[in-house]
Amino acid sequence: MSAHIGLIVNPASHAVARRGSMLEAAALDLPGACFLRLDDFRRLAPCIRQMADAGVRQIFVEGGDGTLLAVLSACLAPDAGFADLPDFAILPGGSTNLAARSFGFRGKTAGEITGRITALAEGGPATREEHRALKVESAALDHPMVGFVLSTGSLARAMLYTQRQFHGEGQRGSRAVAGAIARFLLAPGSYRDVDGAPVLRASNLTVTTPQATIAGAHAFGLISPLPRLSLGLAPFWGEGAGALAMTHAAWPVRGLRRALIKVMLRLTGAGMARHGFTSLRSDTIDLLHHDPVMIDGEILPMAADRRLHISTTAPLGFLR
């Protein structure tokens, strides 16, 4: 029965590199499972096709949000080969692990993980949840990228800056995220990007949904199908229908520190309009962007027309 199980480990993910892989240890006791040690991401697509051909119905992923982004994108690619999408089980192996914290597979030791996977392989009961993911399409992508959090403008630049400057060895995870936010709160104009310009600055963005259009200089934007992000942040308050939530901050942000503190303390709502913040919901969002855009901590390639179409996947199954 373990032939229907796929195991994918990214050995370079922060937590896996530090403590070792629980899934790699589990694979020794599951000789019939399809196992991939993801040393080279160029191997991912052909290995996913092999898993589809082998009839894999459950894929376990140990890595960070960027690893899950790559795996989901490969599994949902048109040529992946799955007649029916498998269920996914996420083990935290990266630095922030938003998806794993939100709906990850439970188990604290390799033995416990192995026992649970073995029980599932033998037909045991599974706790299963369904969640939609972001689907991002552009002319620069061979197939859609599938993840959970997309950021634009100064937020994307700040994330890149944080990865370069603040996330040294031993400085990963939620504490590092909180520390980076605190630094930008204390001195938002003090940090300079590689081009010498401030990290926090204006950039042009046009947002188009079936309900509204927002255009002009913006500070940053954030889009996700999830209600909460890392550190329990809940930066979305827009009402109405739609699987996607977006918060957009116009430039200049009026009272930037106060606005960000309100987001940190979950004191958001219609009153954020006084800071230039808009929050909305929609099933589709189109972006015309001129600055970096990130999804789950990875930079999206910029198409020549600088356009992105954002929607959601059908509900995906996640094993708890």
Side-chain angles (χ1 to χ4, degrees), residues 6-27:
L7 308 173
I8 300 176
V9 175
N10 182 357
S13 289
H14 181 75
V16 176
R18 189 183 72 248
R19 54 149 167 83
S21 168
M22 290 190 287
L23 278 187
E24 194 160 7

Side-chain angles (χ1 to χ4, degrees), residues 47-271:
C47 285
I48 290 295
R49 288 192 288 271
Q50 290 174 9
M51 289 186 184
D53 291 341
V56 165
R57 296 197 295 265
Q58 298 168 335
I59 294 181
F60 291 75
V61 183
E62 187 177 19
D65 292 326
T67 303
L68 181 62
L69 169 73
V71 172
L72 291 179
S73 300
C75 288
L76 273 71
D79 61 349
F82 289 106
D84 297 298
L85 279 175
D87 288 335
F88 300 93
I90 313 164
L91 280 69
S95 50
T96 53
N97 302 300
L98 171 62
R101 290 177 187 273
S102 300
F103 38 84
F105 190 72
R106 299 184 181 97
K108 295 183 179 179
T109 66
E112 185 179 352
I113 292 295
T114 301
R116 290 202 62 206
I117 296 175
T118 300
L120 289 172
E122 294 174 350
T127 301
R128 183 180 183 275
E129 296 179 2
E130 290 190 343
H131 298 275
R132 293 180 182 271
L134 290 172
K135 182 168 72 172
V136 182
E137 300 169 89
S138 89
L141 298 172
D142 294 333
H143 55 78
M145 294 192 74
V146 177
F148 290 97
V149 182
L150 184 142
S151 54
T152 71
S154 293
L155 184 55
R157 280 192 299 273
M159 292 172 67
L160 284 170
Y161 184 92
T162 299
Q163 290 173 2
R164 291 194 306 264
Q165 302 295 329
F166 298 160
H167 280 181
E169 204 56 41
Q171 293 180 309
R172 299 276 179 163
S174 297
R175 289 184 180 180
V177 173
I181 292 174
R183 296 187 198 198
F184 281 106
L185 277 173
L186 291 171
S190 299
Y191 298 99
R192 298 279 165 173
D193 210 344
V194 291
D195 60 2
V199 171
L200 302 180
R201 63 182 188 262
S203 56
N204 287 323
L205 182 77
T206 301
V207 181
T208 305
T209 74
Q211 300 85 9
T213 297
I214 305 171
H218 90 307
F220 57 83
L222 193 60
I223 302 172
S224 180
L226 302 177
R228 294 185 182 278
L229 307 181
S230 296
L231 304 173
L233 296 180
F236 309 112
W237 58 91
E239 298 180 355
L244 295 171
M246 176 172 187
T247 293
H248 173 279
W251 183 271
V253 178
R254 298 186 290 275
L256 176 62
R257 286 197 189 94
R258 290 194 301 276
L260 295 181
I261 288 172
K262 287 178 181 178
V263 172
M264 292 288 291
L265 297 178
R266 306 177 194 173
L267 300 176
T268 56

